Amino acid sequence: MLCLTLYHLVRTSKSNTFMLNIKRILVTGGAGFLGSYLCEQLVEQGHDVICLDNFFTSQKSNVSHLLAQPNFELIRHDITQPIFLEVDEVYNLACPAAPGHYQYNPIKTFKTSVLGMTHVLGLAKRCRAKVLQASTSEIYGDPEVHPQPESYRGCVNPIGTRACYDEGKRAAETLCADYHRFNQVDVRMVRIFNTYGPRMHPFDGRVVSNFIRQALAHEEITIFGDGSQTRSFCFRDDLLEGMMRMMNNPLDFMGPVNLGNPDEFTIRELAELVIELTSSKSQLVQRPLPADDPTRRRPDITLAQEKLSWQPTVPLRAGLIKTIEWFQSINMADYRAPTPCY
Ligand code: NAD
Ligand code: UDP
């Protein structure tokens, strides 16, 4: 570690100015929607970035623009298997995040959260690395408390179809807290609420990508249930800013901390906004509501404001405009649907 630190002290950044704090950073799930943007930011800051991914819900093209950078490395690896690397920090994002993806092979999803977290924490313990865990608002299940503060312990059906994800992420938080208490691993947990933006997988089946894809093709917009359920949508750049603030926070504060946009919308309102912004001729159609679909969700971000001086800055309309522009710029045929979706 000493050699690594000395090396970091003398290395120069891309812009050729001396940087005293260059780190070697592992991003698991680094080729995904959030991970690829995080890798991009960290490479830009001059850090040595190792992106690890098994490409289940992503593809190499998300990070192909980084491959020529001397401070970027890509490893195809499944985090359910151990890995030996020497790093200063780990952002643990490896896990399918869309309901259709994580329910496709629920046992694998659970293993990805629990075994993946165990391997990451073991690695961090060995090389005294700091770990940030990408946890989720799904920790709260179908919440009886609204909005949801971190102190709320949640209402999760442990044997339902969402449990592989919800309980897997809950167990991962348990592992983080115990590695911190028993092994002094420096952990940070962020509970991410629905996040959207450029580079989301167009066939991930999530509501924002589905609605934009359907609207641009003037196809029916699929509302699950009556569309009165709510979500709070955070733009990708806001979320990543909060995540990096949590990792770099000098306080002895492991969280968990909610990261999300507290503006709450019904799913029907979202559909109407997407239709307006795309000038689409699409009609709304109702489909059955999936089991255990949370009726409402909105983060209480008081803790993030206090500890990280963080709050979202991009309203839904502005974020959707950027996301729609990105969807218009890509060739959908270049994307393989990881699992069947609408
Ligand atoms: P994503 O599906 O685009 O990214 C996940 C990445 O992990 C993909 O590249 C996938 O191939 C990889 N992966 C999956 N299983 C793996 C395994 N076993 N080994 C190695 N790599 C594996 O999803 P995302 O939206 O970018 O989410 C990133 C993280 O943030 C996830 O952990 C997710 O649970 C969490 N999160 C995201 C949201 C959101 O709204 N986007 C909300 C809450 C939590
Ligand atoms: N949803 C919908 N139509 C779709 C996809 C999703 O009405 O085509 C609904 C879904 O039932 C849920 C909400 O949109 O109530 C958000 O779904 P998503 O899969 O994006 O994420 P979740 O918050 O449920 O994990």
Side-chain angles (χ1 to χ4, degrees):
M1 279 307 285
L2 182 63
C3 291
L4 199 64
T5 308
L6 284 175
Y7 164 74
H8 288 158
L9 281 172
V10 295
R11 237 198 76 175
T12 52
S13 76
K14 262 190 347 188
S15 58
N16 228 20
T17 52
F18 279 97
M19 287 188 67
L20 297 178
N21 200 21
I22 293 177
K23 288 167 273 187
R24 184 176 294 163
I25 304 178
L26 170 65
V27 182
T28 77
F33 159 50
L34 296 177
S36 60
Y37 186 63
L38 176 63
C39 286
E40 208 173 283
Q41 299 291 301
L42 296 171
V43 164
E44 184 63 28
Q45 288 166 14
H47 298 294
D48 279 327
V49 177
I50 304 174
C51 168
L52 177 156
D53 210 294
N54 71 350
F55 302 112
F56 169 39
T57 58
S58 58
Q59 56 274 310
K60 209 167 140 187
S61 61
N62 281 352
V63 288
S64 54
H65 60 296
L66 298 174
L67 290 173
Q69 300 292 338
N71 55 336
F72 180 78
E73 209 176 333
L74 178 60
I75 301 176
R76 180 187 281 266
H77 180 80
D78 191 313
I79 201 63
T80 60
Q81 302 299 319
I83 183 144
F84 290 85
L85 296 166
E86 273 66 46
V87 296
D88 302 302
E89 290 180 354
V90 187
Y91 287 86
N92 187 36
L93 273 62
C95 187
H101 293 167
Y102 67 65
Q103 290 167 8
Y104 177 70
N105 186 344
I107 297 166
K108 179 65 191 272
T109 299
F110 194 76
K111 285 183 181 172
T112 297
S113 272
V114 178
L115 295 178
M117 190 80 256
T118 311
H119 296 144
V120 163
L121 289 164
L123 181 153
K125 179 185 166 192
R126 179 173 55 78
C127 47
R128 298 186 197 283
K130 204 195 283 186
V131 175
L132 180 138
Q133 165 62 357
S135 192
T136 170
S137 54
E138 285 286 321
I139 293 283
Y140 304 120
D142 191 4
E144 308 116 315
V145 172
H146 194 72
Q148 295 81 53
E150 292 81 355
S151 55
Y152 175 53
R153 293 183 185 177
C155 177
V156 173
N157 173 3
I159 56 168
T161 51
R162 294 174 86 103
C164 59
Y165 183 70
D166 303 7
E167 297 290 10
K169 290 281 188 178
R170 287 170 72 96
E173 285 198 6
T174 306
L175 282 165
C176 284
D178 283 335
Y179 266 79
H180 178 69
R181 269 191 294 265
F182 283 87
N183 298 124
Q184 293 74 50
V185 176
D186 189 350
V187 295
R188 317 275 157 130
M189 292 175 266
V190 294
R191 291 182 178 159
I192 304 170
F193 284 64
N194 297 60
T195 301
Y196 69 98
R199 221 178 277 154
M200 340 181 41
H201 199 300
F203 300 103
D204 67 9
R206 285 189 261 200
V207 70
V208 174
S209 33
N210 265 11
F211 285 4
I212 293 179
R213 191 170 44 77
Q214 292 162 341
L216 288 175
H218 304 284
E219 290 170 358
E220 290 175 335
I221 303 247
T222 51
I223 304 268
F224 297 169
D226 64 6
S228 63
Q229 70 271 35
T230 68
R231 294 293 186 272
S232 305
F233 299 99
C234 187
F235 189 61
R236 175 200 68 180
D237 301 32
D238 278 337
L239 191 280
L240 266 294
E241 173 64 28
M243 211 185 233
M244 287 190 274
R245 282 192 194 198
M246 184 59 173
M247 180 64 108
N248 298 321
N249 180 7
L251 301 175
D252 182 17
F253 171 60
M254 72 168 178
V257 63
N258 289 338
L259 293 181
N261 191 321
D263 293 343
E264 187 180 358
F265 295 85
T266 67
I267 294 306
R268 191 169 282 274
E269 284 170 339
L270 174 72
E272 283 159 0
L273 185 54
V274 169
I275 288 176
E276 181 203 319
L277 295 176
T278 52
S279 307
S280 176
K281 298 188 183 75
S282 294
Q283 302 294 314
L284 306 188
V285 292
Q286 276 187 231
R287 295 277 181 267
L289 188 68
D292 294 334
D293 199 286
T295 32
R296 51 194 189 158
R297 187 184 283 158
R298 177 175 151 206
D300 178 334
I301 60 164
T302 312
L303 196 60
Q305 285 168 322
E306 276 173 21
K307 298 281 189 186
L308 309 175
S309 306
W310 175 87
Q311 63 182 29
T313 57
V314 183
L316 182 60
R317 176 178 282 271
L320 280 179
I321 290 171
K322 289 185 181 169
T323 311
I324 290 165
E325 281 168 4
W326 181 77
F327 270 76
Q328 285 169 322
S329 75
I330 59 168
N331 180 3
M332 303 261 184
D334 293 341
Y335 290 80
R336 164 189 62 86
T339 62
C341 77
Y342 268 104

